[in-house]
Amino acid sequence: MRTYRIAFAILLFAAPFLAQAQTTDKPNILWIVSEDNSPFIGAYGDTFATTPNIDKLATQGVLYTNAFATAPVCAPSRSTLITGMYPPSMGTENMRSTYPAPDFVKFYPKYLREAGYYTSNNVKKDYNVDQDQEDAWDESSHDATYQKRKPGQPFFAIFNTTISHESCVHKSIPNDQLRHSPAKVPLPPYHPDTPEMRHDWAQYYDKVEDMDTFVGKILADLEASGEAENTIVFYYSDHGGVLGRSKRFMYESGLHIPLVIRFPKKYAHLAPGQPGTKTDRIVTFLDFAPSLLSLAGVPIPEYMGGKAFLGTQNASEREYAHAFRGRMDERIDLVRSVRDKKYRYIRNYMPHKIYGQYIEYLWRAPSMGSWEAAYKAGTLNDVQKKFWETKPVEELFDVEADPHNVNNLAGDPKYAVLLKKMRQANHDYLVEIKDVGFLPEGRMEEISQTTPLFDYARSGKYDVKKVIETAEMASMGDPRNLKELTKKLTDGDPVIRYWAATGCTILGNKAQSAKGTLINLLSDPEVTVRIAAAEALTKLGEKEKAVQTLTEALNSDIQMARVQALNVLEQLGPEASKAFPAVKQLIDHKKKNADYDLRAAEKILASAGK
């Protein structure tokens, strides 16, 4: 008994030290996150960029050449990061929609805290879900830092900078104060050579340089803290950007991100390569949370949809990076994309909408107005003016040969087999994850008031395969499908009716035989279907009936139904004049200028000189 007591006393005395040793064996992890920038980095081969700190980090770490955001805009991308789930599977794909995530989802820092980590976030959240889960962080603020942790406690820390954010080009800096020359700035082939475009690009390169200075400071602080040899460092951007046709758009310019990861000698065995090397492994934001948990030795929850690309739970390489676009601010669109190591496939489900839909925040950049003015003046070449035209249903790009994605190969017979393969990969993934982004957002808003959309998709009420197939048929714009689309206009599922009506809009005047059924849908019990039918009827000579229906929809209690109706009214221009009093009344009753229906309404009246 005495021996047992001595042994127990020794164990009791040693327990705190054993626990501390066990905890401190875990690597610290530091994320440095910039905003709205593609790999305009010297280490990625950009000779115009001035990024000495990130370039040095790349010589000390591993550079990922195929790292991708899941969305080309912040809040949906960050929804992916914080939950480890693909936003279209749970309804968090539309910009600042804040619909509820399923109850079982924990923000990944919670798992780290439970494993003994100190978690700090400085400072951006923007998770695009309605719950904040404040307890995921020990501290989330402008003052948050790993330096506040307990002695010996491992940390996970984020430092996010807005220096390179889109807003950095809203106010022009005088030319003589710019460090990067507007005259020498390289322009992508899709941008016109205007003074405003050159200036915005040069100013943006200045801001990327400033962002690099921020990265250098965070790394210097880490070195000074004595923790550099215990810390795995990530540098990445939250998506691509920032000038027109990058952020918000489904090209390399919107989705390809810089990612450099440095492993100290202590954790070199966890690195995918030697310092200064590159890897072409495809990784997406869907993989970040699983990889983080894997590095920390935390079991990865089954609901997380990504593949760990680091740590003890390292998974096999993924073949594709999937990406999505839903509503961007006040403009409705629906796009999905698939990327392998060489090609990008894009599927446009609303090809009747132009790429360059007016978005108030995007148009704050002087370069956007100059691009639009050049289009109206007829001075653009074929590549530059595509942005102002309707979209093809499918796009396919050889990214190695065409990094700016301007040569669409989808219609080239030589790529027919590849196109079919990537089209099928896209279709299969949408069905597999039960993509709820194909619900009209007004319907999503209604459902989410009582049920998380993830749960709704698995309730038996959402026939995802039928919905996807209808959306694919509708988007093709093939008159041979009109008979089937007309039949679907009377389907018992309002989502099928919505997509069938959208298909008639895409067919335009070729959908004349469906006019009678579409008129009947103006009294449909579902407001999003009424609006979709009204939009189709604007193409079939029934604009007066359509405008009346759209005007009535502005009184809906559902904000996203109002946005849907306003999008159609704006396309009509002066022909929607009978709706202008209702549009003005909507503005008069709104108070928050961040409301997307208000932005859409104001644009209608501004265009009409009202």
Side-chain angles (χ1 to χ4, degrees), residues 278-354:
K278 298 179 180 180
T279 175
D280 68 350
R281 177 170 181 164
I282 293 177
V283 300
T284 90
F285 280 171
L286 195 58
D287 305 324
F288 276 42
S291 299
L292 182 62
L293 298 183
S294 179
L295 286 171
V298 176
I300 300 168
E302 289 187 10
Y303 69 79
M304 288 189 176
K307 288 174 171 279
F309 58 90
L310 296 169
T312 57
Q313 299 168 77
N314 193 348
S316 59
E317 289 191 40
R318 60 167 59 250
E319 183 177 6
Y320 297 119
H322 294 272
F324 61 91
R325 169 180 164 137
R327 174 183 51 74
M328 294 291 174
D329 294 3
E330 69 268 34
R331 297 300 167 210
I332 295 168
D333 204 350
L334 189 70
V335 190
R336 297 292 182 264
S337 182
V338 177
R339 172 72 148 81
D340 65 13
K341 290 183 178 180
K342 183 173 171 60
Y343 296 97
R344 178 170 295 285
Y345 169 82
I346 298 172
R347 180 66 187 248
N348 294 302
Y349 294 94
M350 296 182 173
H352 59 298
K353 296 179 181 289
I354 67 171

Side-chain angles (χ1 to χ4, degrees), residues 225-274:
S225 75
E227 289 294 337
E229 288 305 312
N230 300 315
T231 305
I232 298 171
V233 176
F234 286 57
Y235 161 71
Y236 67 93
S237 171
D238 65 347
H239 52 77
V242 66
L243 301 187
R245 196 188 177 272
S246 56
K247 180 178 179 179
R248 302 182 184 87
F249 295 92
M250 298 289 279
Y251 299 115
E252 295 301 289
S253 55
L255 292 164
H256 188 207
I257 61 165
L259 171 63
V260 179
I261 307 177
R262 185 181 73 184
F263 299 80
K265 289 181 181 179
K266 183 176 181 180
Y267 298 109
H269 61 284
L270 297 173
Q274 295 297 314

Side-chain angles (χ1 to χ4, degrees), residues 412-424:
D412 190 331
K414 290 189 298 184
Y415 295 90
V417 173
L418 175 66
L419 181 70
K420 182 178 180 181
K421 179 187 176 186
M422 297 191 82
R423 177 194 299 141
Q424 192 65 45

Side-chain angles (χ1 to χ4, degrees), residues 338-392:
V338 177
R339 172 72 148 81
D340 65 13
K341 290 183 178 180
K342 183 173 171 60
Y343 296 97
R344 178 170 295 285
Y345 169 82
I346 298 172
R347 180 66 187 248
N348 294 302
Y349 294 94
M350 296 182 173
H352 59 298
K353 296 179 181 289
I354 67 171
Y355 295 101
Q357 294 187 80
Y358 177 88
I359 296 173
E360 187 273 334
Y361 198 81
L362 174 58
W363 254 251
R364 294 184 189 183
S367 51
M368 283 304 302
S370 76
W371 192 2
E372 184 177 24
Y375 172 72
K376 290 178 178 178
T379 60
L380 301 181
N381 62 34
D382 288 344
V383 171
Q384 294 162 353
K385 69 182 183 181
K386 281 183 180 179
F387 185 72
W388 307 98
E389 298 172 345
T390 55
K391 304 184 286 286

